[in-house]
Amino acid sequence: MSSVAVLTQESFAEHRSGLKDTEITGGVPEDEAYIPTYLEAFPPLPDKGAPGERSGEPAGAWSKIRPIKASVITQVFHVPLEERRYKDNSQFGEGEEAKVCLDIMQKTGAHIELSLAKDQGLSIMVTGKLDSVMKARKEIVARLQTQASATVVIPKEHHRFVIGKNGEKLQELELKTATKIAIPRPDDPNTNIRITGTKEGIEKARHEILLISAEQDKRAVERLSLEKAFHPFIAGAYNRLVQELSQETGARISIPPPSLLKEEIVITGEKEAVAMAIARIRAIYEEKKRKTTTISVEVKKSQHKYIVGPKGNTLHEIMESTGVSVEMPPLDSGSETIILRGEPDKLGPALTQVYAKAKSVMVVEVTAPAWLHRFIIGKKGQNISRITQQLPKVHIEFTDGEERISLEGPTEEVEQAQAQIQEIIKDLMARMDYTEINIDQRFHRHLIGKNGANINRIKEQYKVSVRIPQDSDRCGLVRIEGDPQGVQLARRELVDMAQRMENERTKDLIIEQKFHRTIIGQKGEKIKEVRDKFPEVIINFPDQSQKSDIVQLRGPKNEVEKCAKFLQKLLVELIESSYSISVPIFKQFHKNIIGKGGANIKKIREETNTKIDLPTENSDSEMIVITGKKSNCEAARDRILAIQRDLVRIKGGRRMKERSRREDFFYKDVSTKKIQQITREHEVQIKFPEREESASMTHYTFIINPFLITVISNSLHLKTTLVNFLCYEILLQSCLLCTAQDACPVENGSTSPEADSVPRKCDIITVTGRVEKCEQARAALLALVPVTVDVEVPYDLHRYIIGQKGSGIRKMMEDYEVNIWVPQPEQQSDVIKVTGQEASVERARQALLDRVRELQAEQEDRALRSYKVTLSVDPKYHPKIIGRKGAVISQIRKDHDVNVQFPDKGDEQQVCDVIVIWGYERNVEEAKAAIEQMVAALQEMVSEDVRLDHRVHARVIGARGKAIRKLMEEFKVDIRFPQPGSEDPDKVTVTGLPENVDKAIDHLLNLEEEYVRSTHTYTYLGGGDEESRGPAKGFVVRDAPWNVSGSKAPDMSSAEDFPTFGSGVAPKQTSAWGPKKF
């Protein structure tokens, strides 16, 4: 086995400590300013002694120098054949063992070499740094050697000492013995510790665990109950006596603080040390109980704090000088009695000191106007800080709303502070003024402006301070303070602003939400024009999610009225331009309506100023929708109908000329199948009237326009209206049953007025056959005639039935092959008319009723979900309720199915402490209770500041905050570190329940102590920041040979004084096991 000697931090520390402990120093104290002598720094080599002297103690300082440990070490260990996991030697150096070694080398950074011994055992040599070698050894044992296991039993209370702090002791033990040690959990009653590894490692681990347990067996814990009044005598002044006892006996003594009414003193340590400490404490107690007596004095409660002093230092001072304990009543007690306990001859001097301390502080009040207090304090406390820095023992207290300042401290210093404050007051009164104006509280937020813009401008412009009360104060008094001239100018401007706002008016306009986007325009261009026209008026549109029709105007009364009239006029124009007509046009004529390249439809749109929508090519719909003003829509409709009429006449005229006897092509042949089916099914003969010349022309008009039908058969007179039917094949079939007359087109779903028609010869259809068959045939013919049904639908649901841009109503009309007429909004009618064949109408009616039920259910659900409550919570708790990245409040919303809204920090109009919850009533109440429970828990929490060296903050926080998050989760507290550039960079705030905060602070202080110690060690060994070291001073010694007169210091750059050794090539290192095999 070989090793390489390299200087490490640890070995250098031990080496240096060996030098410092040498007897040559003669007891010189160790500090950084100490300069060693030449002999101390460079001790001479020992003289060669006689052979007999070698057995004695070596002389000289070199005997004190400890050997330097190597940073790179080599360990060799042997795995017997029977314990080898892979016993196949045919592929030695290339098999599984080699792969495992390569993997371990990559993981640990150590170098591993394998060789086979004569007994076929495995010899392993591991080279590297100590940590790497230990980790590699553990991996090798676990993966190349068969594992055994054993158990060791020690008392349950000793397990924590085996684990060590944060598990460090257990990890060290596992690495040292190359084993795996399993310790049962604290809540597990089992006391067996299981060790897994090699036999040798198990024995080592077992031995170490038993040693730890044996060491703990020697320790003891004793509790000693003594009267609380005698605890100060045991602790001594400044706790020095108890500290001396701990050092002398080696036991740890814990005395409860004076504020804790507990008589139990706890002593821990080794049994002998504990027994010795108990004996000493009892001796002190018995002596003081025998020798001491008490006296009681009355001192004003307000003076007690001066007797106690800062952190109880005055009481310790009295105890140190007189040996008398001063017992103070609790702060929350009304008692003014102070008890002095001590030896009779010492009570007199102690009482004198108590009275002196009580009267050592005086209290003075200085009169100053309350509005002047903050100017006396100065910006960021500059003025008052100057006084307190000069006179640190003086306490200055300002009381809000009172015209007095309290000064407390030593008499001389209080008089000086009083003189300085009176001088400041005199100066301020000479050059400052104030005024108060009463402004209605509802105008305060407008005075402040968005993000304080208005009030900040006034402050900067007039160099004044303006104090506006909080909304919660319910006060309208605004106070202006500063230079007299600036105060008057600021007052005038604020009064003018308030008067303008009193003249303001807020008006709500009802504008349907569907028009909001049109009024606003693309990218707000149109509403910008309106705002430019009325710059003093603020126009607020509701959010789309609110589904509100209210548009709010706010500004001067006259301007608001003008703006309202302008918007109403604009709304009328929009309503007029939203008038729509649906016109049925044969699908084959749509391309003619559009024209080549859209020329026809574009021309109609431009000339009539309307919007014309045609169905897509894939759609079965034939309806063309025209939107715009009524007169323009009618003009566009007439032009479109004229185009279709011309197309129909052209095609119809050609057929009549070419086929003189087949002019009934549209009139008869199209519906032949329907008529023949009725004839076959009912075994009747149907005879239609002879057509007149005019009838053939009426046929084409009838196809294009909606019409009026009258059917007479077997003395039955049926009169009905066919409106806007969707399918033109059925229209053609209906033409065989009736005579059509031109009627007015449909406008917004309205029907033409009924018109009586006198039966004519051409109106009579003759059905011949058996009576019952004729009746059935008549019914079948009448079934082809459309019917109209009224459906009751509440007026407020009509817009949901129609849908966005009429999509809902169009889909229903297409699905059920009916026409649905919805009344105009101004009619506010609840009747919707459905027209079509009876079966289709019934299905459409049922669908409408189902839709109404759905909408009513949605309305009811919306009403139930609109239950809202407000909860007033201090804004400082809001971040805790919201949680990190909103996790806590998101969970509340998810668990209770509610919406929770917090006030916007930038919105000054909102009350800053109100949380709004809305949803179902039960869910809202549960969510409110959950938040109140959280707030109650937060209110129980306390915040304590602890000072941690800012250099260790980063290590406490950890990479990306992992360490501090783990710590906060463990102790259930919140820990806040100061921001960069903070005035107090060492202050850390811990928030949580009191017991958790105390534990967390203790843990933080322990971490600080460990980190600072390691930092000092690192700096001591030469680590740390290069910049912090300062310029190198070199190595300085005293009494050096070159300090003798006539001598000079050697020249470091001289080749003669410091000759250079020859630089040969270092021989290549070879392994003790020969060349590598893998």
Side-chain angles (χ1 to χ4, degrees):
M1 185 172 75
S2 63
S3 64
V4 181
V6 177
L7 188 63
T8 65
Q9 292 178 3
E10 295 83 358
S11 59
F12 179 76
E14 293 180 4
H15 170 69
R16 192 171 185 273
S17 65
L19 285 176
K20 288 163 66 179
D21 291 339
T22 181
E23 296 174 358
I24 298 175
T25 60
V28 178
E30 295 180 11
D31 55 17
E32 293 181 1
Y34 174 67
I35 301 175
T37 64
Y38 183 79
L39 290 176
E40 290 173 354
F42 305 101
L45 294 174
D47 295 333
K48 186 177 180 182
E53 296 176 356
R54 292 182 183 179
S55 58
E57 187 71 24
W62 291 100
S63 61
K64 299 291 184 179
I65 299 176
R66 301 179 185 177
I68 298 175
K69 294 182 180 178
S71 65
V72 177
I73 65 169
T74 300
Q75 281 194 4
V76 180
F77 54 96
H78 187 72
V79 180
L81 176 63
E82 59 272 14
E83 293 183 11
R84 284 180 58 186
R85 180 163 291 181
Y86 306 102
K87 299 180 181 178
D88 185 7
N89 295 330
S90 60
Q91 295 182 343
F92 181 73
E94 298 177 358
E96 289 298 324
E97 288 175 337
K99 292 179 181 178
V100 169
C101 288
L102 285 172
D103 184 45
I104 295 172
M105 284 194 292
Q106 290 176 356
K107 284 182 179 180
T108 63
H111 178 70
I112 303 172
E113 293 186 9
L114 302 179
S115 66
L116 278 176
K118 292 182 179 180
D119 59 357
Q120 299 301 307
L122 195 63
S123 294
I124 305 170
M125 184 172 71
V126 186
T127 305
K129 292 186 177 180
L130 180 62
D131 289 345
S132 300
V133 169
M134 299 305 289
K135 290 178 182 177
R137 182 186 173 192
K138 183 179 176 183
E139 288 283 329
I140 290 169
V141 168
R143 298 172 66 176
L144 295 183
Q145 193 168 359
T146 55
Q147 302 290 294
S149 65
T151 57
V152 58
V153 181
I154 62 173
K156 188 77 175 179
E157 58 271 15
H158 296 174
H159 286 192
R160 62 192 183 94
F161 299 103
V162 177
I163 296 170
K165 189 174 182 180
N166 297 326
E168 293 175 358
K169 183 70 175 177
L170 181 62
Q171 293 175 7
E172 181 186 348
L173 193 57
E174 287 183 337
L175 282 175
K176 185 177 177 180
T177 60
T179 57
K180 177 67 178 175
I181 303 171
I183 298 177
R185 297 177 61 83
D187 53 358
D188 187 352
N190 184 18
T191 59
N192 293 340
I193 297 177
R194 188 175 184 81
I195 309 170
T196 305
T198 63
K199 292 179 181 178
E200 182 184 357
I202 289 172
E203 287 301 321
K204 288 181 181 179
R206 185 173 179 279
H207 176 70
E208 292 289 340
I209 291 171
L210 290 174
L211 280 179
I212 293 171
S213 179
E215 184 180 347
Q216 295 305 316
D217 281 334
K218 297 177 183 178
R219 301 183 65 82
V221 177
E222 291 291 340
R223 301 177 187 275
L224 197 59
S225 183
L226 301 176
E227 290 181 52
K228 184 77 176 176
F230 294 95
H231 286 191
F233 297 107
I234 298 169
Y238 301 103
N239 293 321
R240 289 173 187 161
L241 183 56
V242 74
Q243 290 172 6
E244 289 174 4
L245 283 174
S246 294
Q247 290 176 359
E248 290 174 7
T249 62
R252 182 179 177 182
I253 304 170
S254 176
I255 300 176
S259 58
L260 186 61
L261 300 176
K262 194 175 180 182
E263 297 184 344
E264 195 175 69
I265 299 175
V266 181
I267 305 106
T268 57
E270 294 188 1
K271 293 179 180 179
E272 293 179 2
V274 168
M276 191 185 303
I278 289 175
R280 293 285 299 277
I281 290 171
R282 283 193 181 279
I284 295 171
Y285 170 70
E286 295 297 337
E287 180 187 359
K288 293 299 179 182
K289 191 173 182 180
R290 186 177 63 256
K291 291 183 178 181
T292 59
T293 184
T294 61
I295 61 170
S296 300
V297 293
E298 297 290 329
V299 178
K300 286 184 180 180
K301 190 75 175 179
S302 59
Q303 303 300 110
H304 284 197
K305 58 183 177 180
Y306 308 124
I307 298 172
V308 175
K311 297 182 180 179
N313 284 340
T314 305
L315 297 179
H316 287 295
E317 184 181 333
I318 296 172
M319 167 68 81
E320 186 177 33
S321 61
T322 65
V324 174
S325 168
V326 182
E327 299 172 16
M328 305 297 296
L331 293 176
D332 54 358
S333 169
S335 174
E336 296 184 343
T337 303
I338 298 175
I339 299 173
L340 280 71
R341 187 184 302 273
E343 297 179 9
D345 57 333
K346 302 290 180 66
L347 289 175
L351 183 59
T352 303
Q353 289 192 33
V354 166
Y355 279 126
K357 295 296 181 182
K359 296 178 180 179
S360 63
V361 176
M362 69 176 294
V363 178
V364 173
E365 289 186 355
V366 179
T367 303
W371 66 271
L372 210 59
H373 284 188
R374 59 198 191 88
F375 297 103
I376 297 171
I377 294 170
K379 190 175 182 181
K380 295 183 179 179
Q382 289 178 352
N383 296 342
I384 214 69
S385 295
R386 194 181 308 115
I387 296 173
T388 53
Q389 285 173 5
Q390 294 174 3
L391 309 167
K393 294 183 180 179
V394 177
H395 174 69
I396 304 172
E397 183 178 353
F398 292 82
T399 307
D400 288 339
E402 295 185 12
E403 297 188 348
R404 62 186 178 85
I405 304 170
S406 299
L407 284 73
E408 183 181 333
T411 306
E412 293 181 2
E413 293 191 5
V414 166
E415 290 174 353
Q416 294 178 32
Q418 182 182 6
Q420 292 185 31
I421 289 176
Q422 286 176 340
E423 187 67 27
I424 294 172
I425 294 170
K426 184 178 178 181
D427 177 61
L428 290 172
M429 292 293 289
R431 60 184 178 85
M432 295 197 69
D433 192 11
Y434 81 96
T435 186
E436 293 179 341
I437 51 177
N438 202 346
I439 297 176
D440 196 324
Q441 194 177 15
R442 57 197 172 96
F443 300 141
H444 287 185
R445 60 191 179 93
H446 304 297
L447 292 178
I448 295 170
K450 189 175 183 181
N451 296 326
N454 294 343
I455 205 69
N456 289 336
R457 177 185 58 79
I458 292 172
K459 288 178 180 178
E460 292 176 5
Q461 184 175 351
Y462 301 116
K463 307 298 181 186
V464 295
S465 172
V466 183
R467 301 185 67 184
I468 298 176
Q470 298 289 333
D471 292 340
S472 57
D473 295 343
R474 307 284 183 187
C475 175
L477 207 62
V478 177
R479 188 183 186 91
I480 310 169
E481 302 163 353
D483 179 72
Q485 185 178 358
V487 166
Q488 294 304 319
L489 292 173
R491 180 183 184 280
R492 190 180 308 154
E493 182 165 346
L494 287 174
V495 169
D496 291 344
M497 289 174 67
Q499 288 175 349
R500 284 201 305 271
M501 284 183 282
E502 283 180 359
N503 190 38
E504 276 192 356
R505 181 185 171 189
T506 301
K507 185 171 184 178
D508 292 341
L509 288 181
I510 306 298
I511 300 177
E512 286 189 60
Q513 196 175 34
K514 64 181 180 181
F515 296 123
H516 290 184
R517 185 175 294 180
T518 309
I519 294 173
I520 294 170
Q522 188 175 11
K523 295 182 179 179
E525 292 177 355
K526 292 186 178 180
I527 197 63
K528 187 175 183 299
E529 294 175 3
V530 178
R531 285 172 174 154
D532 292 342
K533 191 171 184 179
F534 305 99
E536 297 183 21
V537 180
I538 299 172
I539 306 172
N540 291 324
F541 286 86
D543 191 78
Q544 288 185 353
S545 60
Q546 296 178 358
K547 297 184 179 179
S548 173
D549 296 336
I550 298 175
V551 177
Q552 191 180 71
L553 309 179
R554 191 179 76 246
K557 184 177 179 182
N558 296 334
E559 292 297 312
V560 167
E561 291 296 333
K562 291 178 184 178
C563 184
K565 288 180 181 178
F566 179 82
L567 288 176
Q568 286 171 344
K569 183 180 177 181
L570 186 64
L571 178 63
V572 170
E573 292 178 359
L574 286 175
I575 292 173
E576 288 179 357
S577 62
S578 63
Y579 182 84
S580 64
I581 297 177
S582 297
V583 183
I585 301 295
F586 289 126
K587 193 76 174 180
Q588 63 266 34
F589 296 152
H590 283 195
K591 60 182 179 180
N592 303 95
I593 300 294
I594 296 171
K596 188 174 182 180
N600 291 350
I601 198 70
K602 185 177 180 182
K603 184 177 180 182
I604 295 172
R605 284 170 177 162
E606 291 175 353
E607 292 180 358
T608 60
N609 193 24
T610 56
K611 179 184 176 184
I612 303 173
D613 295 321
L614 288 87
T616 60
E617 292 183 5
N618 300 330
S619 172
D620 294 333
S621 175
E622 296 184 341
M623 306 300 285
I624 295 178
V625 181
I626 307 170
T627 307
K629 292 185 178 180
K630 184 176 180 181
S631 56
N632 295 343
C633 289
E634 291 174 349
R637 176 202 63 196
D638 293 341
R639 292 185 63 170
I640 291 173
L641 289 176
I643 293 172
Q644 180 180 246
R645 192 178 299 113
D646 292 342
L647 292 170
V648 171
R649 285 177 178 170
I650 290 168
K651 294 181 181 179
R654 288 176 183 172
R655 286 196 181 98
M656 284 191 295
K657 290 178 181 179
E658 294 174 4
R659 305 176 185 179
S660 58
R661 295 298 298 169
R662 299 179 63 185
E663 67 271 18
D664 291 335
F665 177 78
F666 276 128
Y667 183 79
K668 199 170 185 179
D669 292 351
V670 173
S671 61
T672 301
K673 292 181 181 179
K674 280 278 185 182
I675 301 304
Q676 287 177 354
Q677 184 179 354
I678 295 173
T679 303
R680 284 196 306 271
E681 288 180 359
H682 302 288
E683 299 177 357
V684 295
Q685 183 180 4
I686 301 173
K687 184 178 180 183
F688 289 88
E690 294 294 330
R691 298 282 301 202
E692 298 176 356
E693 183 62 25
S694 59
S696 64
M697 293 304 296
T698 304
H699 162 69
Y700 298 105
T701 305
F702 169 71
I703 293 172
I704 298 167
N705 299 327
F707 45 84
L708 197 67
I709 303 175
T710 301
V711 180
I712 299 177
S713 178
N714 289 345
S715 302
L716 172 67
H717 180 235
L718 171 66
K719 180 170 69 177
T720 186
T721 304
L722 178 64
V723 183
N724 212 15
F725 217 61
L726 296 176
C727 193
Y728 74 84
E729 289 88 346
I730 297 177
L731 290 176
L732 291 175
Q733 294 162 7
S734 300
C735 291
L736 301 176
L737 307 177
C738 61
T739 297
Q741 298 178 351
D742 288 346
C744 296
V746 179
E747 299 175 358
N748 279 354
S750 59
T751 61
S752 302
E754 295 184 0
D756 294 332
S757 65
V758 179
R760 294 180 298 169
K761 209 173 180 183
C762 63
D763 295 336
I764 300 172
I765 300 173
T766 305
V767 181
T768 307
R770 296 175 63 182
V771 176
E772 61 275 11
K773 297 292 185 180
C774 288
E775 288 295 333
Q776 294 173 2
R778 180 180 66 84
L781 287 172
L782 293 177
L784 299 176
V785 180
V787 296
T788 300
V789 173
D790 292 345
V791 182
E792 289 284 340
V793 177
Y795 164 72
D796 57 340
L797 300 180
H798 287 189
R799 58 177 180 169
Y800 302 112
I801 299 290
I802 295 170
Q804 190 175 9
K805 296 182 180 180
S807 59
I809 201 74
R810 278 201 298 272
K811 186 176 185 305
M812 193 171 286
M813 290 166 67
E814 291 173 3
D815 290 347
Y816 298 104
E817 297 182 349
V818 295
N819 179 66
I820 300 175
W821 175 82
V822 181
Q824 290 291 335
E826 56 269 15
Q827 296 178 7
Q828 296 191 359
S829 172
D830 292 342
V831 177
I832 292 180
K833 295 183 180 294
V834 184
T835 303
Q837 288 192 359
E838 188 172 359
S840 299
V841 167
E842 180 59 28
R843 287 189 293 112
R845 184 184 73 85
Q846 194 60 43
L848 265 178
L849 294 176
D850 291 343
R851 179 63 176 150
V852 168
R853 282 192 288 271
E854 289 178 11
L855 292 171
Q856 288 175 340
E858 288 177 6
Q859 280 185 333
E860 292 175 2
D861 184 68
R862 200 177 299 118
L864 291 173
R865 288 183 68 91
S866 63
Y867 180 78
K868 184 183 294 185
V869 297
T870 57
L871 188 61
S872 181
V873 177
D874 195 319
K876 68 182 180 181
Y877 298 131
H878 290 188
K880 296 291 184 184
I881 299 172
I882 294 169
R884 189 168 181 266
K885 297 183 179 180
V888 177
I889 198 63
S890 296
Q891 191 62 38
I892 291 175
R893 287 173 176 150
K894 181 180 177 182
D895 292 345
H896 302 286
D897 189 23
V898 295
N899 286 321
V900 184
Q901 183 179 3
F902 288 82
D904 188 357
K905 291 182 180 177
D907 191 354
E908 298 179 359
Q909 300 180 8
Q910 290 186 351
V911 181
C912 63
D913 64 344
V914 173
I915 299 174
V916 182
I917 312 170
W918 69 91
Y920 293 114
E921 182 175 0
R922 180 180 176 184
N923 295 352
V924 167
E925 294 298 336
E926 290 176 355
K928 179 183 176 184
I931 292 176
E932 287 176 340
Q933 187 177 356
M934 288 180 62
V935 172
L938 291 171
Q939 287 174 344
E940 291 179 4
M941 293 184 178
V942 296
S943 291
E944 288 192 20
D945 295 337
V946 58
R947 298 185 65 79
L948 293 182
D949 194 323
H950 63 276
R951 295 173 296 174
V952 305
H953 286 188
R955 295 188 65 179
V956 174
I957 294 169
R960 299 183 180 178
K962 288 183 179 178
I964 197 65
R965 280 200 296 274
K966 182 180 178 183
L967 196 149
M968 289 192 292
E969 290 173 4
E970 180 181 352
F971 292 99
K972 295 182 175 57
V973 294
D974 181 66
I975 302 173
R976 297 290 175 185
F977 289 84
Q979 296 293 330
S982 174
E983 295 180 359
D984 189 356
D986 294 341
K987 186 175 78 172
V988 177
T989 304
V990 185
T991 305
L993 295 175
E995 59 273 15
N996 294 344
V997 169
D998 292 341
K999 293 177 182 176
I1001 288 176
D1002 290 342
H1003 185 73
L1004 286 173
L1005 294 173
N1006 289 337
L1007 288 177
E1008 179 195 31
E1009 185 180 351
E1010 291 177 13
Y1011 293 158
V1012 168
R1013 190 186 302 120
S1014 64
T1015 304
H1016 286 339
T1017 303
Y1018 178 61
T1019 306
Y1020 178 73
L1021 294 175
D1025 196 356
E1026 290 292 338
E1027 296 179 1
S1028 64
R1029 296 180 186 176
K1033 296 181 180 179
F1035 186 70
V1036 181
V1037 296
R1038 294 182 289 117
D1039 303 332
W1042 51 81
N1043 289 339
V1044 179
S1045 59
S1047 301
K1048 63 175 183 177
D1051 185 4
M1052 300 287 290
S1053 60
S1054 170
E1056 184 179 352
D1057 290 343
F1058 296 93
T1060 305
F1061 292 99
S1063 56
V1065 179
K1068 186 176 179 181
Q1069 292 184 353
T1070 58
S1071 170
W1073 302 99
K1076 298 180 183 178
K1077 296 184 179 181
F1078 54 86

